Every structure is written in C-alpha cells, then in structure tokens.
DNA sequence: TTCCAGGCTATGT
DNA sequence: ACATAGCATGGA
C-alpha cells in the first residue's frame, strides 16, 4: 500500500485497504479511544498516534512514525490475502464488508492482558478496563504508557476488580507473576505448537484466548480463534455445529495459511448482523 | 427477569 | 479425553 512517512506523521492517500473503524473495531485490539467519526487515538506500549480521515486521506500523527508503519502493517499486500482467502460467497461478502481491516502488530504484553480480560466479556468493557490499567503506566504528558511487567506487579486483585475486570482479576494477578518466569522476547522464536502449550499453562488462557494471542501477538496467521460469533459463522457455512476445537481445525484447513485474516473479516461481518 | 458478551477453571465422568 | 456448573458485571 502507498503511504508517505514524514517526521511526525504518516499520510495514506489510497484508503481502500485501510479503514480505521474496521481496523480498530473488528475486535483485535482494546487499546484505543474514539474521538469522533474517523478520529481515533491509538496506544501501543509507550507509543501514541492520532488517526484522522481528512478529505479522503488518512493522517496518522505520531512522534514515532516508523513504529506505526509496522503497527498498522502497511507493507503487507492485503489484495493478495483477500484473493487467497476468498473460498466462497460468504467470505467474499465479509471481505467486501470489512475491506479496510488490517491485522495490527501489537505488543505481546498488551495482547496477553487484553485477551485474558476478553473472556466472556464485551468489547466496550474490555476497552474501558484496559484504559484503566494504562493509568498505572508511566505518565507521558498527554497520555500514559502501558505499564511495564514490573509496574503491573503493583496492581492488586482489588484494583483489577475496581477496574471492572470481575472474576478475571485474580487471573491477571497470577499471570503477571507467571510471566516473571520467561523472557517474552525469547518466546517470539518458538514454534506455534510449543507456544500454544505454554500459553495454555497461563492462568485465564484457554484455547480461544491462546489462539488470539498467537494471531494478534505473535502474528501466527494460521490460527483461527473460535468465539460465539465464529460459531455462528461456522454454522452458516457448514450447516452443522461441532466442538470449538474441531471448528478451529476445520476453518484453518478450509482457509489455509491466511486463515487468521479470514477470521477477522468473518468476525467483523457476522457481528454486524445484530444491533 | 433473563440472556448475553471475543470463555476459563475446577470438578466431575 | 469430553461434559458442565459457576463465575463478575452491565447493557439489552
């Protein structure tokens, strides 16, 4: 995709494969705030960007443009991916509907924390809880950095409850301490199978959350998280219901190495049916 | 009031 | 290896 990088901004002129509403509201990320129509603040670790659509062009304003070129996955060819996953009419409609989706390159720590909170929860409250956790991080002036692992240790179970984490508060408290035993940078090179079994050993991480961490935190695009919405998609396509484990395997086999991208288009599409 | 939200842990068979 | 109760919380 074509874009320009300046010292304090990125400019995207062709926005057919970039729609900030699609990108942020398709359920992959919980660390943003909406200021208005096509005007969002985005947070990632200690970085911040404002994304605004002006006269058909996206202006991404940030102190660290290089970071957000990678974050927004601007160098990946989504046209090729869309062709690859277009296996039937259903997914074609989903791709058309969410044409501006891109899978973000998020920070692993935020993905792990965010998706533990996501279990049996709704996106609005997940986002609110993540915002409150962020306020424990370093004050960068106009915003807060996400807390480092060290700082996360200062948050009590009661604090997490007060942030609306509910019964997941104790999971967060325990996971933060489990993460002391590994170097997250080292896990980046692990194969997917090894990673998944390690992730499943973390408190509050089951098969679905593990798949989300693999897809959104590690960029393992041959993973297919199955939640309540994807269950509906599976029934729509295959006209039968299976265990979530089998549905995930079937969907990876069906969509192939880019199944994770298909998952995002399908999730965003199916969720739009209601409301 | 009941159901549901990007499910998981614990505890049974 | 699979089935199910219980779980915090707020909006529909």
């Amino acid at each position: 995709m074509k874009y320009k990088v300046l010292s304090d901004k990125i400019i995207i002129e062709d926005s057919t494969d970039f729609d900030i509403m699609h990108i942020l509201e398709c359920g992959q990320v919980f660390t943003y705030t909406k200021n208005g129509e096509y005007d969002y603040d985005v947070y990632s670790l200690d970085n911040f960007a404002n994304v605004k659509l002006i006269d058909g062009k996206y202006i991404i304003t940030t102190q660290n443009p290089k970071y957000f070129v990678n974050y927004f996955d601007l160098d990946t060819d989504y046209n090729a991916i869309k062709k690859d996953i277009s296996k039937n009419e259903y997914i074609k409609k989903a791709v058309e509907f969410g044409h501006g989706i891109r899978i973000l390159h998020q920070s692993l720590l935020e993905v792990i924390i965010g998706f533990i909170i996501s279990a049996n929860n709704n996106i609005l409250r997940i986002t609110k809880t993540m915002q409150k956790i962020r306020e424990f991080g370093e004050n960068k002036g106009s915003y807060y950095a996400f807390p480092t692992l060290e700082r996360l240790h200062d948050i009590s179970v009661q604090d997490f409850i007060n942030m609306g984490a509910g019964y997941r508060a104790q999971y967060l408290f325990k996971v933060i301490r489990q993460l002391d035993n590994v170097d997250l940078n080292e896990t980046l090179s692990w194969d997917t199978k090894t990673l998944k079994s390690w992730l499943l050993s973390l408190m509050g991480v089951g098969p679905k959350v593990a798949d989300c961490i693999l897809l959104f935190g590690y960029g393992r695009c041959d993973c297919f998280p199955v939640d309540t919405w994807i269950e509906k998609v599976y029934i729509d396509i295959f006209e039968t219901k299976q265990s979530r484990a089998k549905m995930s395997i079937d969907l990876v086999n069906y969509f192939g190495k880019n199944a994770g991208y298909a998952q995002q288009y399908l999730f965003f599409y199916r969720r739009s049916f209601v409301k």
Side-chain angles (χ1 to χ4, degrees):
Chain A
M1 116 172 299
K2 283 187 179 175
Y3 60 90
K4 288 182 198 166
V5 179
L6 305 180
S7 63
D8 64 343
K9 64 187 57 157
I10 305 167
I11 300 170
I12 300 171
E13 299 192 357
D14 176 12
S15 57
T16 53
D17 288 346
F18 188 106
D19 184 310
I20 194 62
M21 190 272 276
H22 295 176
I23 291 168
L24 296 177
E25 300 191 14
C26 71
Q28 63 176 320
V29 59
F30 308 112
T31 52
Y32 66 91
T33 54
K34 182 175 183 174
N35 303 318
E37 285 297 303
Y38 289 91
D39 180 357
Y40 292 84
D41 288 337
V42 183
Y43 307 87
S44 178
L45 280 184
D46 53 346
N47 301 289
F48 167 80
N50 172 262
V51 184
K52 214 176 288 188
L53 183 64
I54 301 172
D55 297 333
K57 295 180 191 175
Y58 276 103
I59 310 294
I60 302 173
T61 306
T62 172
Q63 295 293 96
N64 199 345
K66 279 190 178 175
Y67 182 89
F68 284 98
V69 166
N70 176 61
Y71 181 82
F72 284 113
D73 198 21
L74 296 185
D75 292 324
T76 293
D77 180 2
Y78 277 74
N79 197 37
I81 291 168
K82 288 170 176 176
K83 279 185 185 170
D84 181 50
I85 60 176
S86 290
K87 308 282 188 184
N88 60 32
E89 291 306 311
Y90 193 95
I91 179 80
K92 284 179 186 172
K93 280 184 188 170
V95 167
E96 189 179 351
F97 180 79
H99 61 270
I101 288 175
R102 311 179 77 82
I103 293 191
L104 297 170
H105 294 179
Q106 301 184 61
S107 96
L108 194 44
L109 186 58
E110 285 172 288
V111 170
I112 293 171
I113 299 295
F115 278 94
I116 287 172
I117 297 168
S118 79
N120 198 27
N121 207 340
N122 62 70
I123 291 177
L124 179 61
R125 188 162 64 233
I126 302 163
T127 306
K128 283 183 178 174
T129 301
M130 286 296 279
Q131 184 69 31
K132 287 173 184 168
I133 291 175
R134 182 168 289 280
E135 289 169 13
F136 274 78
E138 185 188 347
N139 189 335
K140 306 285 283 186
S142 58
Y143 67 99
Y144 290 92
F146 195 78
T148 61
L149 182 58
E150 188 182 356
R151 280 207 190 220
L152 286 171
H153 282 72
D154 296 336
I155 306 177
S156 68
V157 173
Q158 188 58 49
D159 287 332
F160 282 125
I161 289 173
N162 294 343
M163 297 176 198
Y167 66 91
R168 308 161 200 85
Q170 53 189 315
Y171 301 159
L172 294 171
F173 185 86
K174 286 182 183 173
V175 153
I176 284 159
R177 281 144 190 85
Q178 281 182 285
L179 291 178
D180 289 335
N181 303 322
V182 291
D183 177 0
L184 282 183
N185 288 325
E186 200 174 298
T187 66
L188 295 173
S189 63
W190 294 1
D191 66 81
T192 300
K193 191 178 174 186
T194 306
L195 265 179
K196 185 156 183 178
S197 67
W198 169 66
L199 289 169
L200 289 173
S201 75
L202 298 178
M203 191 60 65
V205 177
K208 187 270 174 183
V209 169
D211 282 339
C212 284
I213 297 171
L214 287 169
L215 178 56
F216 303 127
Y218 289 93
R220 305 299 165 94
C221 295
D222 55 341
C223 294
F224 209 109
V226 177
D227 71 327
T228 55
W229 300 105
I230 295 297
E231 274 187 0
K232 300 179 202 295
V233 168
Y234 184 96
I235 294 167
D236 289 342
I237 294 177
F238 297 106
E239 298 181 333
T240 173
K241 187 178 175 176
Q242 303 288 340
S243 70
R244 286 191 173 190
K246 176 161 170 49
M247 289 191 277
S248 181
I249 291 168
D250 287 350
L251 288 161
V252 170
N253 288 335
Y254 185 73
F255 286 107
K257 66 181 191 305
N258 288 317
Y261 294 95
Q263 198 270 2
Q264 278 300 275
Y265 294 111
L266 291 166
F267 174 84
F268 186 64
Y269 178 57
R270 191 60 180 79
R271 218 166 72 92
S272 74
F273 288 6
V274 289
K275 279 201 284 191

